[in-house]
Amino acid sequence: MDRVEGWIVEQHGGRQRRELFETAASKLFEDIAGAGGVQVDDPLLSRDRAATDLLIELGLLSLEGTRYVVVDPHSAQAAVVAPLGQQGAQMIAESSHWAQAFSALGQAYRRSSSTVDGPITRLRGDQIELFLADVVPSAQSELLTAQPQAGHSLAAQKAAGNRDVAALQRGVSMRTIYQHAARRSRAARAYVDRVTGAGGEVRTLDEFFNRLIVVDRQVAIIPSGDDLNVALAIRDTDLVAYLVDIFERFWERGRPFSSSEAGVVTSIAEEQRAMAIRMLKEGHSDATCAKRLGVSPRTYAGYIAELKEAYDAQTRYQLGYRMGQQDVQGSRRKKS
């Protein structure tokens, strides 16, 4: 029998003894206490021999001459409960040591490019969050994250905030990129306040980009195509370095989230408007345009309504025609 199996058997046996103590043994104790003690040959003692033996073992029955009498439970309790509490504390400490040991192995596994799965691991469904819950808290020096859409719930943002603030407090540097639309999200603003207050940096960008998380420039997590339920965990150092380079280029073009300067706010609004116009001209569907802007379909419909008003158009067709006319006129002015 190995150590783990032996521990399980030991705990199972202890549970059985407690259940016996709570039922038959406690009833026997009450009966003997009510009788003021019983003779050693009393049938009451042989009614359930296991219960009788347990009371004697625990020191709750004392032999006085030819009689068994009950003992104050408080005097016997310390001998049973105190060792259990000590064992519990030891088990908690032991479990912590095991968790730390496994965490260290996990870091070594994620750094390796020669694991069973190779340098790229495909994660599906719940595996994604489980992987992130393991890899992000293990960061030692740096976290880079690009989040194209900020439509997460307050609860999800709070959980992410707890995790990321804990990393910052450990001395990990953290930079995050959102799309400009995140500035309108209450959940995103609350998250950014917490993270920047702990030393993190957050910027926003007008253009669309895919989700990216890089941990210590050793592991990168990206989506697998358009399926958000599948992600790739990349440990290949060259691929990770390539993704970090892309992040750095986005970061240089981003604008600080916390900036409230009038010029910055105006520029952001202009950039979002220009992107909406560009996607309309390219003929993308409303769903695609909303996704690339990082906004809900309803918000995107509001953008279109504003453009119709600005171009004095009643329909989408008129809007496209008048924007095209403006482009032609602008081209002619440049030539002249």
Side-chain angles (χ1 to χ4, degrees), residues 71-88:
V71 176
D72 184 354
H74 290 290
S75 64
Q77 177 178 332
V80 176
V81 177
L84 288 175
Q86 184 177 5
Q87 291 174 17

Side-chain angles (χ1 to χ4, degrees), residues 209-245:
F209 48 85
N210 276 317
R211 191 181 189 195
L212 169 66
I213 298 175
V214 182
V215 181
D216 292 338
R217 305 202 175 200
Q218 296 175 344
V219 184
I221 301 94
I222 63 173
S224 177
D226 293 330
D227 190 350
L228 297 181
N229 287 318
V230 182
L232 302 178
I234 301 171
R235 292 178 294 275
D236 183 273
T237 53
D238 292 330
L239 285 176
V240 172
Y242 179 80
L243 292 170
V244 169
D245 180 65

